[in-house]
Amino acid sequence: MQNAQNPMENQDVGEASDVNTVVPPAAPEVAEAPVAPEAPNFEARLAEMSDAYLRAKAEGENIRRRAEEEVSKARKYALEGFADSLLPVKDSLEAALAIPGATPEQLLEGVHATLRQLSSALERNKVLEINPTAGTKFDPHQHQAISVVPAEQEANTVVTVLQKGYLIAERVLRPALVTVSAPK
């Protein structure tokens, strides 16, 4: 049986066989995409947009930094106006102490004048008194009840003010200390 030949032995190496060999289909040739005439414009546009982005980012950082500086300065000098309005009060108190032979009437008059100065300075800086009158409805946002007492007035109303309270720009700085009428 040596005379039987394998049909594959007679074929050249370069030839393809029908039986066992699979020839992949030829890949279509891909031609390079023609460079559009607008391509340089895209690069220029990209560079322009990149520059605009970097400038906007830097501007945003500058705005943030300036805002932080302004907030820092506002905190640092927030009390400047308030302190300035209190200086005349201090001056008046020092002047009163500098008078060696002041009579009690003179001291009392000076204390009243100084109190008016202080009240004026507080009002200019939006520090307002909370001084409820007797019979005013108790407000827990502005009043602090020290005690509940029996009284001949409506329940849960202010009977007396033990210490004035204060608001600063509509925010309670210190609540008024009050006694409140007990329910009947």
Side-chain angles (χ1 to χ4, degrees):
M1 293 244 114
Q2 286 208 359
N3 290 351
Q5 291 183 344
N6 187 351
M8 297 297 282
E9 287 179 13
N10 292 337
Q11 291 182 345
D12 288 337
V13 176
E15 294 178 9
S17 166
D18 311 359
V19 181
N20 293 329
T21 307
V22 177
V23 177
E29 288 190 32
V30 178
E32 282 191 34
V35 177
E38 296 114 17
N41 290 342
F42 287 133
E43 290 177 9
R45 181 79 173 133
L46 177 63
E48 180 183 318
M49 291 179 87
S50 177
D51 182 57
Y53 167 75
L54 291 175
R55 288 179 187 274
K57 184 177 178 184
E59 181 66 21
E61 289 174 7
N62 288 339
I63 289 170
R64 182 191 51 77
R65 183 185 44 80
R66 279 188 297 245
E68 285 175 355
E69 287 174 2
E70 287 176 15
V71 167
S72 175
K73 286 179 184 178
R75 286 183 183 145
K76 186 175 181 181
Y77 301 112
L79 293 176
E80 183 177 14
F82 187 69
D84 186 49
S85 65
L86 290 179
L87 291 178
V89 175
K90 183 179 185 298
D91 294 339
S92 294
L93 291 171
E94 288 173 343
L97 292 174
I99 301 173
T103 65
E105 292 82 22
Q106 289 173 325
L107 289 175
L108 185 60
E109 184 180 331
V111 167
H112 284 296
T114 305
L115 180 60
R116 284 191 300 273
Q117 275 184 320
L118 179 59
S119 295
S120 174
L122 290 173
E123 285 178 16
R124 276 196 311 271
N125 289 283
K126 296 178 179 59
V127 177
L128 305 173
E129 287 183 355
I130 301 174
N131 191 13
T133 58
T136 303
K137 186 80 173 155
F138 176 75
D139 180 359
H141 300 290
Q142 293 188 354
H143 309 143
Q144 182 176 349
I146 296 301
S147 64
V148 178
V149 296
E152 294 298 321
Q153 61 190 45
E154 187 178 335
N156 209 23
T157 57
V158 174
V159 176
T160 57
V161 176
L162 304 172
Q163 185 180 55
K164 294 178 187 176
Y166 291 91
L167 296 171
I168 186 164
E170 299 180 15
R171 184 175 179 184
V172 175
L173 186 60
R174 179 179 79 189
L177 301 180
V178 297
T179 57
V180 179
S181 59
K184 296 181 183 183

